């Protein structure tokens, strides 16, 4: 999933179709070969998937699928990400809210203590990755339940973050996203259209970790769960159009990369 996200992000920024193809092949493989009866599996060998997935398997795959949607505008990746987020909260959320997500689901082997790894190391831990993707999906879908669980997870590790910040790097990224005013960017237009690509190049020329980007291709059906963010987001005068907002307060929609540049700089 980390590789998938890297290829998708590189495809967006560098305009590399081969990277996009690699990301798409990776996502197709993970969703078709490592999912059994709607349960994401952890390992795959000799044509067989084994062991129910852990929290980080779900959260990092969701992150990769969101990146792949940005790189292609294909609605199926957004739908899959939202569906996996529902499954993730069902399988790993602590209903007692005594701490962040559990690392194991209900169908894992019975353990004396159900584990929760809260430290970020060479890769994000499951809890921080889950908090990050749920905050982003809350903006995309308008579902407050996603945000509430993410904030509860962040609150549960507050004292540990204060005491040992170097061990909570991805948690701090999620916290920064939550405390900032993330940019909400919707592009209405066909991804392959050169005019759409010009707008995307302008966006990707800016370092904006705290933003969500959703594409609306006129020839694809819209993702129903993203309806609040996509309401009335259409091309204007037949041209690809960018809608740039923060906390639902929006700039004037534009099809001009220069105007978009000024809005982003402002």
């Amino acid at each position: 999933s980390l590789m998938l996200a890297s290829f998708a992000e590189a495809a967006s920024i560098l305009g590399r179709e081969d990277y996009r193809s690699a990301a798409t092949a990776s996502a197709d493989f993970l969703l078709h070969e490592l999912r059994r009866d709607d349960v994401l599996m952890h390992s795959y060998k000799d044509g067989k998937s084994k062991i129910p997935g852990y929290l980080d398997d779900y959260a990092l795959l969701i992150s990769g699928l969101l990146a792949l949607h940005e790189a292609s505008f294909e609605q199926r990746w957004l739908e899959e990400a939202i569906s996996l987020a529902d499954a993730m909260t069902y399988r790993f959320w602590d209903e007692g809210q005594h701490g962040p997500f559990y690392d194991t689901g209900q169908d894992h082997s019975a353990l004396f203590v159900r584990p929760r790894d809260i430290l970020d190391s060479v890769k994000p831990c499951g809890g921080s990755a889950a908090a990050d993707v749920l905050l982003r999906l809350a903006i995309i879908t308008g579902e407050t339940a996603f945000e509430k669980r993410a904030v509860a997870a962040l609150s549960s590790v507050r004292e540990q973050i204060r005491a040992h910040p170097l061990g909570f790097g991805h948690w701090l990224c999620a916290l920064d996203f939550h405390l900032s005013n993330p940019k909400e960017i919707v592009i209405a237009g066909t991804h392959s259209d050169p005019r759409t690509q010009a707008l995307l190049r302008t966006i990707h020329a800016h370092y904006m970790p705290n933003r969500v980007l959703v594409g609306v291709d006129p020839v694809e059906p819209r993702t129903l769960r993203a309806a609040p963010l996509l309401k009335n987001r259409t091309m204007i005068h037949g041209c690809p159009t960018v809608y740039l907002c923060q906390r639902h307060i929006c700039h004037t929609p534009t099809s001009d990369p220069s105007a978009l540049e000024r809005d982003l700089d402002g």
Side-chain angles (χ1 to χ4, degrees):
S1 296
L2 288 167
M3 183 190 71
L4 159 61
S6 297
F7 270 121
E9 184 177 354
S12 296
I13 295 171
L14 303 176
R16 290 280 297 267
E17 186 59 40
D18 55 337
Y19 288 170
R20 186 178 296 107
S21 296
T24 300
S26 178
D28 279 330
F29 174 80
L30 291 171
L31 291 171
H32 289 101
E33 301 297 336
L34 272 87
R35 192 161 52 177
R36 184 190 304 168
D37 299 328
D38 291 329
V39 175
L40 190 65
M41 306 304 285
H42 177 69
S43 66
Y44 179 91
K45 186 175 184 293
D46 297 332
K48 295 181 180 179
S49 56
K50 298 180 180 179
I51 309 173
Y54 297 91
L55 175 63
D56 59 343
D57 293 321
Y58 279 78
L60 294 174
L61 179 53
I62 293 168
S63 179
L65 293 173
L66 291 177
L68 185 51
H69 168 74
E70 289 187 15
S72 65
F73 289 8
E74 289 188 50
Q75 296 297 300
R76 58 173 173 149
W77 306 126
L78 195 53
E79 292 281 9
E80 291 284 10
I82 297 170
S83 177
L84 281 169
D86 288 333
M88 179 178 72
T89 54
Y90 171 75
R91 293 173 60 79
F92 302 100
W93 178 244
D94 176 8
E95 288 298 340
Q97 297 187 17
H98 300 303
F101 291 85
Y102 290 112
D103 288 331
T104 58
Q106 305 97 323
D107 52 358
H108 276 80
S109 301
L111 301 171
F112 183 71
V113 176
R114 197 172 174 190
R116 330 175 195 254
D117 179 14
I118 61 172
L119 287 174
D120 294 318
S121 57
V122 294
K123 67 179 181 65
C125 73
S128 65
D132 178 63
V133 296
L134 288 180
L135 288 171
R136 295 172 188 275
L137 285 171
I139 293 175
I140 293 171
T141 64
E143 294 188 18
T144 58
F146 285 160
E147 183 180 20
K148 286 180 179 178
R149 288 189 171 97
V151 172
L154 284 165
S155 298
S156 71
V157 295
R158 175 181 176 179
E159 294 307 318
Q160 292 93 326
I161 289 176
R162 289 168 61 91
H164 307 286
L166 294 181
F168 292 82
H170 201 68
W171 284 107
L172 286 167
C173 291
L175 178 62
D176 185 60
F177 183 92
H178 174 59
L179 296 178
S180 69
N181 287 315
K183 288 182 171 60
E184 306 153 8
I185 305 174
V186 176
I187 302 181
T190 301
H191 189 272
S192 59
D193 189 320
R195 297 171 297 175
T196 304
Q197 289 298 311
L199 294 169
L200 285 169
R201 282 194 296 273
T202 302
I203 292 169
H204 291 307
H206 292 72
Y207 178 64
M208 294 182 290
N210 295 340
R211 59 106 170 121
V212 295
L213 191 157
V214 176
V216 183
D217 192 322
V219 302
E220 281 205 47
R222 296 193 174 202
T223 302
L224 296 178
R225 293 278 293 278
L229 187 66
L230 303 183
K231 186 177 181 180
N232 299 323
R233 303 301 194 239
T234 59
M235 293 196 300
I236 297 178
H237 303 308
C239 295
T241 305
V242 175
Y243 297 81
L244 175 63
C245 308
Q246 285 181 280
R247 300 293 182 187
H248 307 295
I249 299 173
C250 302
H251 291 266
T252 302
T254 183
S255 300
D256 180 7
S258 298
L260 176 60
E261 178 83 28
R262 290 193 294 271
D263 289 342
L264 291 171
D265 287 340

